[in-house]
Amino acid sequence: MTDWERVRDDFPELQQTMNDERLAYLDNAATSLKPTAVVNRLVNFYQQENTNVHRGTYQLSFEATERYERSRELVKEFIHAQDQREIIFTRGTTESLNLVAATYGEQNVRPGDEIVISLAEHHSNLIPWQQLAIKKHATLKYIKLNPDGQIDLDDVQQKITPKTKIVAVTHVGNVLGNLSPVKKLARLAHQHGAIIVVDGAQAVLHLPVDVQALSADFYAFSGHKMLGPTGIGVLYGKQSLLEQMPPYQFGGEMIEDVQLYHSDWDQIPHKFEAGTPNIAGALGLASAIKYLQKIGMKSIQTRDEELMAYLLPKLEAILGVKVYGSENPSQHIGVASFNIGDLHPHDVATALDMEGVAVRAGHHCAEPLVHSLGVNSTVRASLAFYNNQEDCDQLLKAIEETKEFFNGGLR
Ligand code: PMP
């Protein structure tokens, strides 16, 4: 049994006060906090182990290369990929998704083809496909969401057709916390000869991920949203697809042979990792994975569900608060987006900050989705396993005080 209060000691950022109040960090969907073990891993690399990888001829560099490649192995295990060559290190989810659009998309999408995404997409799983569709004279189609914010499976049947080449969906939505039925979508995509690209940015901190069980062709995520450093992320791709794709960027580390007027590319994954990689980032990500695995992703998933089951009904019960998406806490993975009457979300977030509560306000890089809710922005509280009921209570109390402050309680 995990002692969740003790877990909080691993996150020194939680120990501070903000505006003279206890800090309730509820912006985990933007970026997670980092446990001391991850920070120490970075410091140790730069203090003791710092060299470049893959080209050294001395012991220190051999060791750094070995650790870098061991991090890849750990990522492979974390998401249950078949082979470590299917793991490409990138800067983050955004770069991973752009990589697929610029290589696989460039190579396979032709005029008249269709790309299908959902209305719940973050801009980083929307704009690359929108721009590819424009460039290739293909059609971009959006799968509708049900009123409770879940992907509308009837609409999926209409939208995925024999013309579909790519289906791209978020695993967990960053505004509503909705879980996409990836397996079903993958089956349908594959029946029509299309591939499925999954944006896992909001899933990796909350769920055990198995890319093979999901039948994902590509799966993208960011280290910084799962306790790791910024600037490191992952693209998983099926080996057979990666091998056929052209490189994304050109330069050192990704070549086998360079001649004056011709070059040959290295094997995967190196073909997609041009230039000096984020070595410390990969080691930090590996350390984050070890930390998560020590607690166990199943245990983390249960903890997150319990926290949301505590928070959501209380949030919904506050007079004047509208929570977007499902009324069911289990359909809100880590995220609750809401508004208070017609108060501006930025005013609300500023007022909550005065009470030590860190939340996000805005369109959350998902403008089409937020507009479909009939608003321009929302307040978003997002949880992680190191949050506790006290954080939830602090948010709820701060909302009451915000209501009181702005207009006497929105009566
Ligand atoms: N997709 C989703 C669902 C996200 O929440 C985010 C980050 N807010 C991204 C993609 C982009 O991640 P990054 O900025 O780390 O590339």
Side-chain angles (χ1 to χ4, degrees):
M1 269 287 278
T2 306
D3 179 349
W4 296 109
E5 281 308 307
R6 210 218 55 73
V7 160
R8 290 171 65 83
D9 296 342
D10 296 335
F11 297 85
E13 206 167 332
L14 289 174
Q15 319 306 327
Q16 63 193 310
T17 54
M18 201 51 59
N19 295 318
D20 295 328
E21 300 286 343
R22 167 189 183 278
L23 172 65
Y25 183 76
L26 298 175
D27 195 19
N28 293 287
T31 199
S32 73
L33 301 180
K34 320 300 171 202
T36 304
V38 169
V39 178
N40 288 347
R41 187 69 198 88
L42 299 179
V43 171
N44 199 62
F45 173 76
Y46 284 120
Q47 279 184 342
Q48 306 289 338
E49 308 162 46
N50 175 61
T51 69
N52 212 327
V53 290
H54 289 147
R55 49 185 159 222
T57 47
Y58 49 92
Q59 189 58 26
L60 206 57
S61 177
F62 292 147
E63 286 174 9
T65 303
E66 201 182 297
R67 290 190 190 105
Y68 179 72
E69 289 304 326
R70 224 186 295 139
S71 305
R72 199 189 304 279
E73 185 69 30
L74 216 66
V75 172
K76 177 214 128 185
E77 283 163 23
F78 185 65
I79 61 168
H80 294 92
Q82 203 165 31
D83 194 294
Q84 49 97 13
R85 286 172 298 170
E86 298 178 316
I87 305 300
I88 298 159
F89 285 121
T90 64
R91 282 195 299 122
T93 310
T94 304
E95 186 172 54
S96 298
L97 295 167
N98 274 279
L99 191 163
V100 182
T103 56
Y104 185 91
E106 182 67 37
Q107 200 173 42
N108 292 285
V109 175
R110 313 225 184 296
D113 285 346
E114 294 173 353
I115 302 169
V116 178
I117 67 175
S118 92
L119 198 58
E121 300 314 312
H122 185 281
H123 294 164
S124 66
N125 199 30
L126 188 162
I127 307 174
W129 309 119
Q130 181 193 68
Q131 295 303 306
L132 180 68
I134 292 170
K135 186 170 169 198
K136 293 288 186 165
H137 303 286
T139 307
L140 181 64
K141 290 163 114 186
Y142 288 86
I143 303 168
K144 285 194 276 194
L145 303 182
N146 290 328
D148 66 355
Q150 309 301 307
I151 280 190
D152 181 336
L153 282 170
D154 292 336
D155 194 47
V156 168
Q157 302 284 346
Q158 313 290 320
K159 297 283 161 69
I160 301 180
T161 73
K163 286 187 181 170
T164 308
K165 283 290 178 311
I166 297 172
V167 177
V169 287
T170 192
H171 194 179
V172 171
N174 70 313
V175 178
L176 302 174
N178 56 302
L179 179 69
S180 297
V182 173
K183 252 195 252 184
K184 284 189 185 145
L185 294 171
R187 200 176 315 125
L188 209 62
H190 293 152
Q191 275 168 9
H192 288 96
I195 58 138
I196 184 157
V197 182
V198 184
D199 171 355
Q202 293 298 338
V204 280
L205 183 61
H206 301 289
L207 308 172
V209 171
D210 183 332
V211 290
Q212 294 186 72
L214 289 171
S215 295
D217 294 295
F218 294 98
Y219 194 96
F221 60 98
S222 302
H224 73 96
K225 294 198 195 265
M226 48 173 289
L227 317 185
T230 50
I232 186 80
V234 170
L235 174 68
Y236 157 82
K238 275 192 190 145
Q239 186 177 338
S240 56
L241 296 175
L242 291 176
E243 278 172 346
Q244 284 166 27
M245 282 152 52
Y248 177 49
Q249 292 180 330
F250 302 98
E253 306 258 3
M254 52 76 68
I255 49 90
E256 184 175 281
D257 180 47
V258 179
Q259 299 184 9
L260 282 179
Y261 301 106
H262 173 83
S263 299
D264 289 312
W265 318 132
D266 201 349
Q267 304 290 315
I268 63 165
H270 308 295
K271 180 171 83 176
F272 295 104
E273 292 181 6
T276 299
N278 183 351
I279 307 160
L283 303 190
L285 176 60
S287 170
I289 289 175
K290 282 185 201 156
Y291 185 94
L292 290 169
Q293 283 174 334
K294 209 162 129 208
I295 300 179
M297 288 310 297
K298 280 252 180 266
S299 176
I300 286 173
Q301 185 178 21
T302 307
R303 165 74 174 171
D304 292 346
E305 283 169 2
E306 282 168 5
L307 283 174
M308 190 53 79
Y310 178 80
L311 175 66
L312 200 70
K314 290 186 167 60
L315 192 58
E316 282 166 341
I318 299 177
L319 190 68
V321 169
K322 169 156 182 55
V323 181
Y324 299 97
S326 174
E327 286 176 10
N328 183 348
S330 69
Q331 307 285 2
H332 281 265
I333 298 175
V335 177
S337 277
F338 62 95
N339 273 315
I340 310 178
D342 57 6
L343 296 184
H344 196 286
H346 283 104
D347 291 340
V348 173
T350 305
L352 296 180
D353 183 41
M354 291 295 108
E355 305 300 326
V357 180
V359 294
R360 177 138 309 213
H363 54 56
H364 317 297
C365 299
E367 274 192 67
L369 170 60
V370 171
H371 289 159
S372 80
L373 302 173
V375 290
N376 288 323
S377 53
T378 74
V379 184
R380 181 184 71 182
S382 52
L383 299 163
F385 60 87
Y386 44 72
N387 287 121
N388 57 14
Q389 290 192 357
E390 216 178 328
D391 293 328
C392 300
D393 291 339
Q394 195 172 332
L395 168 68
L396 296 163
K397 182 162 171 278
I399 290 174
E400 293 289 7
E401 282 167 8
T402 302
K403 279 173 54 181
E404 207 58 49
F405 175 79
F406 278 106
N407 47 10
L410 290 170
R411 277 183 287 272

